[in-house]
Every structure is written in structure tokens, then in C-alpha cells.
Amino acid sequence: MTRKPLRPLASILKARKDGESAEAIERANLRERHDEMQNKARVRAEGRLLVMSFLFLAAFGAVGTRMGAVAMTDATEPRRSYSASHIQAERADIVDRKGRILATNLETHALYAQPPHMIDKERVARELAAIFPDLDEDRLVKDFTGKRKFLWVKKKLSPEQKQAVHDIGDPGLQFGRREMRLYPNGQLAAHVLGGSTFGEEDVHAAELVGVAGVEKYFDEVLRDPANGGRALTLSLDLTVQDASERVLYGGMKLMNAKGASSVLMDVHTGEIISMVSLPDFDPNDRPRVLTEGNAGDSPLFNRSVQGLYELGSTFKIFTAAQSMDLGLANPSTLINTAGPLRWGKFKIRDFRNYGSELTVTKIIVKSSNIGTARMAQVIGAVRQQDFLGKLGFLKPTEVELVEAKGAQPLLPRNWSELSTMTISYGHGMSASPLHLAAGYAAIANGGTQVSPTILKRDRVQEGARVMSASSAAAARKMLRKVVSEGTASFGEVPGYAVGGKTGTADKPKERGGGYYEDKVIATFAAMFPAHAPKYVLIVSLDEPVETSGTEPRRTAGWTAVPVAAEMIARVAPLLGLRPQVEPAELADITLTSN
């Protein structure tokens, strides 16, 4: 911008020529300049006022709109957070059906180091290694003397360890507040609980997140402050779980098995009262996942839920129940059991020669493969598949454990007539012990479908009917005779009428196909009391060998059945069941007179 001079030369010369004063010209020009500057300042001020007015109106409108929106929404509880951190570290407790603690939180501290603030790094490394034997002194020295400005030393400290570190007295060692997850019962119910670890963390707090079991399945629920810290109540009974684990562990060792599992379930509500998988682990010190070998051999593997096995002759009762429900047979119907039964190049044989024909009841009591396969031929592949689907054998169980989603039963690619025959006696199809428990519960409760649950329920499940009450009652009588007269005679428990079915299946090879000749999965599926069942118990042993005789015995009648009987004897009183005299059938009562 060009500014007009106060004393322009042309005007001055003209004024002198005319005899006028040059100062008057300068004053007039100065006044004109001041007027121009005032006009510009006024325009600038007016613009600023306009902008400020617009901004004020926008802010007032935004605040008013937000206030209106808040006034129209429902009131909610604000989320609590740490004053020094945004991390939500609180996690609700997990309790059993009677309110006893299974998982809770314990306040502790973590240890971290700031090497630039350390005075004597070598001494600190030496004394830390003495306090924590799992730390390597040379590695600590390398970390402390390197370029790192921060590193975690230990994520969990006991009060004694914290005091020992405090006594080192180095300003480069600092403590961070923590809430660690504590499982006060150690290994008890480890596979159900799963375990937890630290997620997002800083020096002030760390969040606890589930890594397996119910801890992971209900992770968001357990961490949600809106629940007010309300405990998650499971269906497990702590005392029954403890007794089951002790008996199963002893039975596994006694029968020289490499692994074992058991499921105890209420047949009316579907509640899992106890679930055991061995070997197990301590969720307070969860082991690492196997990176090589068979995942089923890991202590983290839940055999009751994830283990998919051919469950052998325990399936035979489903074939008998369906045959009776379809009106194709009754308990006394004679079935041809002459063998071997040929289908193409395949032969189906019985463990022993049971004669040319047996009743349906005797087929179950003596565990005839041939008789069961002949019943399955009449039923047909389509109806068999539909029936097993209603019992839950064609999809993963819906139990509230993350591991259950991956336990898809192994089914034949082509459900042929041969598949129908072999599946009828538990071969050619693999399912978990929990699947089997749900299937037996349907027979035990009178014929309605049951979905297993790990949560406490206060009411009976209203499942779909899968068989008639009369067919279920007839099947229960057969299972009772298996124990009183058949292959499960070691399953008798005085005062508690037990019904059940044994199953011994050859174990498939991990590679190359085929089956081992000397390795089996032995299973006993039981219900008690047999005349009015309340509970189903599944006991399965992996590669058992009973060696008290002259020859090794591997069948379920010698291995899984005695373990299950001991378990029933231990847990039945804990469940509130009193020993009773088994009611006899009216046809067996004879009136006499003196």
C-alpha cells in the first residue's frame, strides 16, 4: 500500500508561490491520514465482533443440543475407572453353586525397572537373581546396562518378595499396583475355570482377561462394571468336584491309564455338577501350550469337552431305545445274532458267541454287536441320523466353555448302511464324553432333550421330546440289568441302584490310519438311582490296563466301571441321596401265607 506523504513537494511549492503557509498543508494531510486509520480500525473491530458472536452462538447451540440429548436418554451408571489409569482392572469373582469361591482377585504389586535411574546395576541384578531364582543374572545385567529405559522384571510379587526388593534400596526399581487373579483351590476344576492373564497394563494398573474356560467365555461379563461386581455362579459343587477328582486320579493310576475324564450332570436341569479332565494343571501357574506332539496329551486339553472318541458299546442303548420308540421291537423281541454278520468284505463279530438269537434286553446286557447292527439295519441311516441329531451328537455342545465350539463330532463322510451298523455300537463316529452325558440324560429324564450347562439353574429344562416316556423307561431297565446281570457287574453300589452301559473302543492311530491292537478308550455311562434317575455319570479312561490277573485286561468292565462305582459311592451322599432299598417289580413279588 502506498502512503501519501504529509508534505508533498508539489503542494509545498505551489503554496509558497501563492504566499500560503506550508504547515497548513501538513496539518490537513495528517488529519486525513488519522481519519483513514480510524476507519480501518473500526472495520477490523466490527469484523472481530461478528466472528466472536458467531462462535458464541455455535458453542451455545452445541451445549444446548447436548443438554437436550442427555435429558432425553435413560439414566445409566457411570463407568468407574482408576484415577491414575484408564485400565479397568477389577474382575468379578466366580463361585460354585453354594457360593464358595472358585476364583477371586488379590491385591499385589508388579516390579519394573528404570535403568537410567539405577545406581549400581550389577549389584541390583545379583540381588534380584537371589530373590527370584527364575531370573537370569547375566540377562538382567545386559538389560540394565543396555539402551532400555524401562522393562518389566516380575508381573506378580508376594508381600515377602516386595519387601526383599524394597530392601535393595535402588531408586531404579519401582512397584506398580496390581490385582492378580487367584484360584484358592489350586488345580480343582482347572479345566472349567480355564485361567486368566494380564491384558493391557501400565505402571499403575493392569486389566485381567480370561484365556480359557469360563474365564474367557464370560470375559466381558466378569469385567463389566455395570454388573456391580456380582459373582458368576457356576453349577459345580466344590465338594463333589474334589471327591470326583480324587477318585478319578486314583483310578487312573490304579488302571495305568495315560489320561481320564468324568462328567456328572443333573438329568433334569442339565447342570454339570462336576467335570474332571486328567492330567490337569494349576490355573495360578498356567503351563504353556504344546507346540509339538499330540495336543490331546497336554494338561491344558479338556478331555471331557474337547476329547472326541469312539465311545464303543455305550451307543447300543440309543439303538435299542430308537427301535422300541419306532415300534420295531420291544424288550423281549428276538433278534438274530448268528455271526459273523457280513456286509461286503466286512465282518461284524461279537466278543463272545452269544448264540443264534437274543432278546433286545439280552443284546444290551451281553453287549452284542451283531444284534445291535441288525436293529440298526431296520432303523435305517436316515432315521438313525435324525435320532442322534436330536440327542445332540451331530454338533458341538452348547456348554458355556470356549473349548466346546471346536469339539465338532467326527461323522462319516457317507452315512452308508455299513456306517449305520457300526455307529449303532459306537464305531465310525467320534463324540465327547459331554455329548454322551447329554444323550444318556435324555433316557434318564423320560425322553426329553437336555443341553449341558455350567451355570446354576433353578428350573427343569423344557427340552424337545426325542423318545416316548415308555421307551425311555424300558431302556433304563435294560441299563439296570447291565449292572445287575451283565458286563458292568463291578458297578454295583450298595444302597444306590446304578444303571449303565460299558464301552470299549480300540484307539485309532494318530498317523497312517487303522487302530492300535493294545490301546483302548474304556468308557462307562451310568445313571443313578436307576429306578428314578437324578444324575448321569460318564467315566472314560485313556489306554487303561488292569494288571491284577495273569493277563492284562483293558475292557471297560474291568477298568472304567470300578472307578465309576467308587465315585458314585463317594459323591451320592454329598448330593443328598440317601441309600435306599431298590424297589422290586410287581411281577417279582410273591405273596405267601403261614
Side-chain angles (χ1 to χ4, degrees):
M1 183 181 71
T2 303
R3 176 176 290 185
K4 182 179 179 180
L6 296 177
R7 295 172 65 90
L9 181 60
S11 300
I12 295 298
L13 293 175
K14 185 178 183 301
R16 288 179 177 176
K17 182 179 179 181
D18 297 337
E20 298 178 356
S21 174
E23 284 77 7
I25 295 175
E26 181 178 357
R27 287 194 297 271
N29 288 337
L30 182 62
R31 183 169 54 254
E32 183 179 348
R33 180 180 293 182
H34 286 170
D35 291 341
E36 183 180 354
M37 291 174 62
Q38 288 178 351
N39 289 336
K40 290 182 178 180
R42 183 174 64 254
V43 171
R44 188 185 304 113
E46 290 175 350
R48 289 176 178 176
L49 287 173
L50 183 62
V51 172
M52 289 296 294
S53 299
F54 176 78
L55 293 176
F56 175 78
L57 289 174
F60 183 81
V63 172
T65 302
R66 178 58 181 164
M67 291 177 63
V70 170
M72 295 177 64
T73 58
D74 296 331
T76 58
E77 182 72 19
R79 295 177 65 90
R80 293 181 297 167
S81 62
Y82 291 96
S83 59
S85 174
H86 67 283
I87 295 175
Q88 292 287 339
E90 293 183 1
R91 191 175 182 86
D93 291 346
I94 300 176
V95 299
D96 81 337
R97 62 187 305 108
K98 296 182 179 178
R100 292 169 291 200
I101 294 292
L102 296 174
T104 188
N105 299 334
L106 177 68
E107 185 172 334
T108 182
H109 289 82
L111 174 62
Y112 62 93
Q114 295 175 313
H117 298 163
M118 285 184 176
I119 298 174
D120 188 343
K121 299 176 180 179
E122 288 75 10
R123 181 183 68 86
V124 170
R126 183 173 60 255
E127 296 195 24
L128 285 177
I131 298 172
F132 307 104
D134 58 320
L135 297 181
D136 181 70
E137 180 179 346
D138 294 336
R139 180 65 188 177
L140 289 174
V141 171
K142 184 177 179 180
D143 289 337
F144 293 162
T145 56
K147 297 181 179 180
R148 302 182 65 177
K149 297 181 179 180
F150 175 94
L151 71 146
W152 292 106
V153 179
K154 295 290 289 186
K155 296 296 184 71
K156 302 175 185 177
L157 297 180
S158 68
E160 293 80 7
Q161 291 171 333
K162 180 188 176 187
Q163 184 60 48
V165 173
H166 187 272
D167 291 341
I168 296 176
D170 194 287
L173 296 177
Q174 299 290 329
F175 302 103
R177 182 185 176 278
R178 285 289 182 275
E179 273 193 351
M180 64 173 284
R181 198 63 163 168
L182 176 66
Y183 303 92
N185 303 294
Q187 297 178 213
L188 198 64
H191 289 92
V192 174
L193 297 171
S196 60
T197 187
F198 290 119
E200 186 179 357
E201 58 183 325
D202 61 20
V203 297
H204 302 291
E207 64 178 354
L208 291 165
V209 296
V211 295
V214 295
E215 286 276 28
K216 186 171 184 179
Y217 190 94
F218 294 103
D219 187 58
E220 292 186 5
V221 175
L222 292 168
R223 289 198 289 156
D224 190 355
N227 289 328
R230 185 171 62 253
L232 178 67
T233 303
L234 303 186
S235 59
L236 297 183
D237 186 308
L238 193 62
T239 55
V240 175
Q241 179 74 23
D242 181 64
S244 300
E245 290 192 13
R246 290 175 182 271
V247 172
L248 189 63
Y249 179 81
M252 182 182 74
K253 293 299 182 181
L254 188 63
M255 300 300 171
N256 306 293
K258 66 178 293 187
S261 66
S262 72
V263 177
L264 178 66
M265 192 172 82
D266 188 305
V267 303
H268 300 292
T269 65
E271 294 172 296
I272 298 171
I273 310 302
S274 76
M275 176 184 287
V276 187
S277 177
L278 297 175
D280 58 5
F281 62 95
D282 187 347
N284 292 301
D285 187 19
R286 187 178 168 86
R288 296 181 180 273
V289 177
L290 289 182
T291 56
E292 58 183 16
N294 187 358
D297 294 333
S298 169
L300 299 176
F301 188 77
N302 188 342
R303 294 171 178 266
S304 295
V305 176
Q306 296 173 277
L308 299 175
Y309 311 108
E310 291 186 346
L311 296 168
S313 297
T314 58
F315 263 49
K316 290 176 180 175
I317 194 62
F318 301 133
T319 304
Q322 185 180 15
S323 183
M324 292 186 292
D325 199 54
L326 293 172
L328 303 176
N330 60 52
S332 58
T333 300
L334 289 172
I335 305 294
N336 179 10
T337 55
L341 174 59
R342 300 178 183 272
W343 193 94
K345 64 179 181 179
F346 300 98
K347 297 179 181 179
I348 297 176
R349 294 184 172 87
D350 281 335
F351 188 69
R352 294 187 178 88
N353 182 10
Y354 299 124
S356 60
E357 58 182 14
L358 292 173
T359 64
V360 173
T361 297
K362 287 295 183 181
I363 286 173
I364 299 301
V365 171
K366 294 183 178 294
S367 198
S368 169
N369 294 338
I370 296 174
T372 308
R374 290 196 186 279
M375 285 192 286
Q377 280 183 300
V378 179
I379 292 171
V382 175
R383 290 193 292 191
Q384 182 192 55
Q385 191 171 2
D386 178 67
F387 184 70
L388 293 177
K390 291 178 180 178
L391 291 174
F393 282 102
L394 305 186
K395 62 181 182 180
T397 60
E398 297 179 357
V399 70
E400 301 88 351
L401 297 171
V402 291
E403 295 80 3
K405 294 181 180 179
Q408 169 65 45
L410 303 179
L411 310 174
R413 294 181 180 178
N414 176 27
W415 204 300
S416 63
E417 184 181 15
L418 179 61
S419 297
T420 302
M421 296 162 70
T422 59
I423 288 173
S424 72
Y425 55 85
H427 290 267
M429 172 182 174
S430 297
S432 71
L434 188 58
H435 281 98
L436 190 62
Y440 268 69
I443 295 175
N445 67 22
T448 59
Q449 186 185 48
V450 175
S451 295
T453 178
I454 202 66
L455 298 179
K456 183 181 179 183
R457 303 295 189 194
D458 296 324
R459 61 183 183 277
V460 175
Q461 280 193 31
E462 301 294 338
R465 179 159 292 280
V466 295
M467 69 185 79
S468 65
S470 59
S471 298
R476 291 196 299 270
K477 290 181 180 179
M478 294 179 187
L479 294 175
R480 175 60 185 141
K481 287 190 176 182
V482 172
V483 176
S484 61
E485 303 174 11
T487 58
S489 57
F490 289 146
E492 283 284 18
V493 180
Y496 301 99
V498 178
K501 186 71 188 75
T502 55
T504 306
D506 293 332
K507 191 172 181 179
K509 295 179 179 178
E510 290 82 4
R511 298 180 179 85
Y515 294 84
Y516 290 105
E517 295 182 359
D518 58 349
K519 295 180 181 181
V520 301
I521 299 292
T523 305
F524 183 49
M527 57 183 66
F528 61 97
H531 54 277
K534 293 185 177 180
Y535 301 97
V536 160
L537 173 66
I538 309 297
V539 172
S540 183
L541 300 178
D542 188 357
E543 300 183 16
V545 183
E546 200 279 325
T547 57
S548 64
T550 56
E551 294 183 359
R553 292 172 286 211
R554 296 180 174 85
T555 58
W558 284 97
T559 56
V561 172
V563 177
E566 178 63 22
M567 192 177 295
I568 292 172
R570 293 277 192 94
V571 305
L574 299 176
L575 295 168
L577 298 179
R578 295 183 179 182
Q580 296 179 352
V581 176
E582 183 179 2
E585 297 183 14
L586 293 177
D588 296 336
I589 298 176
T590 302
L591 297 178
T592 60
S593 60
N594 294 329

